[in-house]
Amino acid sequence: MTKSQIELTINGKKVEALVEPRTLLIHFLREQLNLTGAHIGCDTGHCGACTVEMDDMSVKSCMTFAVQANGANITTIEGMANPDGTLSALQEGFRMMHGLQCGYCTPG
Ligand code: FES
């Protein structure tokens, strides 16, 4: 299958990659970039466990192709840490309260 070149910014770092057009953003993040903070829960767009920010909008990365993120600015949960690597207040709050990622999936 022909691969497509994508360029995007993930957690403040420029990333260039070749991906198959059918590659989902969640698989690209987890398998090619080893960013495993976003999870695959339902894989059908219902639970929100895969949510990331794309250009300041939340998106379900299991419903988004990696090629759709070409040129975008993506923030995963890993990108929400403080500059010194410690947990941000948001991350610490979810850790203390056993939030599973961003809160979208908490009701589930
Ligand atoms: S894995 Fe459930 S919404 Fe994406």
Side-chain angles (χ1 to χ4, degrees):
M1 180 172 284
T2 304
K3 293 189 174 184
S4 299
Q5 174 83 25
I6 59 171
E7 296 180 21
L8 56 164
T9 303
I10 300 179
N11 299 332
K13 296 179 184 170
K14 295 280 185 194
V15 173
E16 295 181 23
L18 286 173
V19 296
E20 292 185 1
R22 65 181 178 179
T23 301
L24 293 172
L25 181 58
I26 186 68
H27 293 144
F28 174 66
L29 294 171
R30 291 181 59 85
E31 296 166 16
Q32 289 190 236
L33 303 181
N34 201 31
L35 292 170
T36 57
H39 295 273
I40 302 169
C42 64
D43 213 8
T44 58
H46 290 92
C47 74
C50 64
T51 303
V52 298
E53 280 187 4
M54 185 164 86
D55 293 333
D56 298 322
M57 299 285 290
S58 63
V59 299
K60 294 173 181 171
S61 59
C62 75
M63 303 299 290
T64 306
F65 291 112
V67 293
Q68 290 177 287
N70 187 31
N73 187 10
I74 303 289
T75 303
T76 68
I77 191 70
E78 291 92 342
M80 294 183 180
N82 292 322
D84 66 358
T86 58
L87 297 180
S88 66
L90 176 71
Q91 292 170 310
E92 185 63 29
F94 274 93
R95 188 190 69 79
M96 289 179 63
M97 302 306 290
H98 306 289
L100 297 180
Q101 192 208 6
C102 62
Y104 282 89
C105 56
T106 300

